[in-house]
Amino acid sequence: MTKHYLLMPARTILWMIFIFSIATQCPAQTTGNWKLEKMPTDLETDFALSALPSQLRSNATVYLLNPDKGYYISKQGSNGFVCFISRTEWEWAEFRQDVATPISYDAEGAKTIMPVYLDVAAMRSSGKYSPVQIRDTITARIKRGYYKAPSRPGISYMEAPMMRVYTSNDPKNNNVASVSMPHYMYYAPYLTYADLGIDSSSTQAPFLVNPDAMILGKKGPYTYAITPLNETETAKIRESGQALLKRLEDYKPYFKVEGAMNHNHQ
């Protein structure tokens, strides 16, 4: 496969990485585009596992999505790590068919963060709730502390060779793209650039991603400190992931990688 990566500013890509999805039960009119297409099981499994380092995959718990019910455990693991494909991002208040981000969590993230994904998937799969209702409910639940921030440091491995995500931190911009940016995310609840003593526009590391900030303001329970993998490790992941990328492109052409983060921390 020919490899061509369009370089994108790191800070733009970092903002589009991770969106959290949570929900409650409130009646609504059925929306016409709520139901997601079921990915082939083997492809969804391999794509989800690609988020994890190779040595963690065999003993990790794998969640797959049943479009009629939500996530279910396809393989029960024993090492505390979980992985899945996120396919709904609540901040944009829309039901897209073409968002897919491989995510993994350690035991702490599985306990405190992943429940939001499980809930929103179940809510969407019921066909009873609108995207706006999900967004508004999520906002209210985060504000009142229904979902808890991680209680200790931890990590979310994001080593997949590709993720299809929103390209902006502005909910009014609903463009998505398939990009390559293997990285690690460390839990940093309520941390801000001011706490670090650096400006948010600085090119200085570390990078912070606070997905709920676009709705809730500067501080939030789901802030992450981001560390992109170095160029050597990134190249290895992209090379070893070529077969998976080909399978994804064959399944849906929009999975073809359109861009990659450079390492100039722009």
Side-chain angles (χ1 to χ4, degrees):
M1 178 184 297
T2 300
K3 292 185 289 184
H4 174 71
Y5 298 104
L6 174 65
L7 296 181
M8 299 173 112
R11 204 165 290 282
T12 297
I13 295 179
L14 289 171
W15 266 109
M16 73 189 184
I17 297 171
F18 241 13
I19 315 299
F20 298 94
S21 307
I22 50 184
T24 60
Q25 297 180 358
C26 53
Q29 296 299 315
T30 299
T31 56
N33 63 343
W34 60 270
K35 189 169 183 178
L36 287 160
E37 179 180 318
K38 172 64 177 172
M39 291 184 69
T41 297
D42 59 343
L43 180 60
E44 185 179 4
T45 299
D46 292 346
F47 195 25
L49 284 168
S50 73
L52 285 162
S54 58
Q55 70 272 18
L56 296 176
R57 294 173 187 172
S58 61
N59 292 317
T61 295
V62 178
Y63 283 80
L64 300 181
L65 182 67
N66 178 342
D68 293 317
K69 295 182 179 180
Y71 288 107
Y72 65 95
I73 295 177
S74 171
K75 181 178 79 72
Q76 181 64 58
S78 59
N79 62 7
F81 287 89
V82 300
C83 61
F84 63 102
I85 306 298
S86 171
R87 298 182 64 186
T88 304
E89 300 181 351
W90 65 266
E91 287 91 340
W92 278 263
E94 64 176 357
F95 287 156
R96 293 192 68 121
Q97 299 290 325
D98 61 342
V99 172
T101 306
I103 300 174
S104 76
Y105 287 117
D106 64 5
E108 181 65 16
K111 180 176 69 175
T112 60
I113 304 176
M114 188 171 177
V116 302
Y117 292 97
L118 301 180
D119 288 350
V120 78
M123 194 176 191
R124 176 174 179 173
S125 67
S126 74
K128 298 178 181 179
Y129 310 98
S130 75
V132 171
Q133 286 178 313
I134 293 176
R135 181 200 63 196
D136 291 348
T137 301
I138 291 166
T139 301
R141 282 197 160 196
I142 292 177
K143 285 182 176 179
R144 73 172 186 263
Y146 181 88
Y147 290 95
K148 306 301 181 184
S151 62
R152 62 163 176 79
I155 190 169
S156 169
Y157 290 108
M158 300 284 286
E159 290 196 4
M162 185 277 294
M163 55 189 177
R164 186 163 178 83
V165 289
Y166 286 89
T167 59
S168 171
N169 62 334
D170 181 0
K172 296 179 181 178
N173 181 346
N174 64 353
N175 181 66
V176 300
S178 298
V179 299
S180 177
M181 198 199 83
H183 59 282
Y184 299 150
M185 308 209 317
Y186 303 96
Y187 314 145
Y190 307 106
L191 187 69
T192 67
Y193 280 106
D195 296 327
L196 296 175
I198 59 177
D199 187 85
S200 61
S201 62
S202 171
T203 59
Q204 178 180 352
F207 298 118
L208 297 182
V209 170
N210 180 4
D212 50 305
M214 65 180 75
I215 304 295
L216 299 170
K218 291 184 178 180
K219 290 194 174 186
Y222 306 122
T223 301
Y224 297 86
I226 307 296
T227 302
L229 273 65
N230 63 43
E231 292 183 6
T232 299
E233 291 303 314
T234 295
K236 290 180 181 178
I237 287 171
R238 290 172 179 163
E239 183 61 34
S240 64
Q242 290 301 302
L244 175 60
L245 290 172
K246 179 62 166 58
R247 291 164 62 198
L248 288 165
E249 289 177 30
D250 288 345
Y251 171 57
K252 297 290 182 183
Y254 57 65
F255 280 134
K256 181 177 177 60
V257 173
E258 301 173 46
M261 190 197 82
N262 61 25
H263 293 283
N264 295 325
H265 295 176
Q266 298 176 355

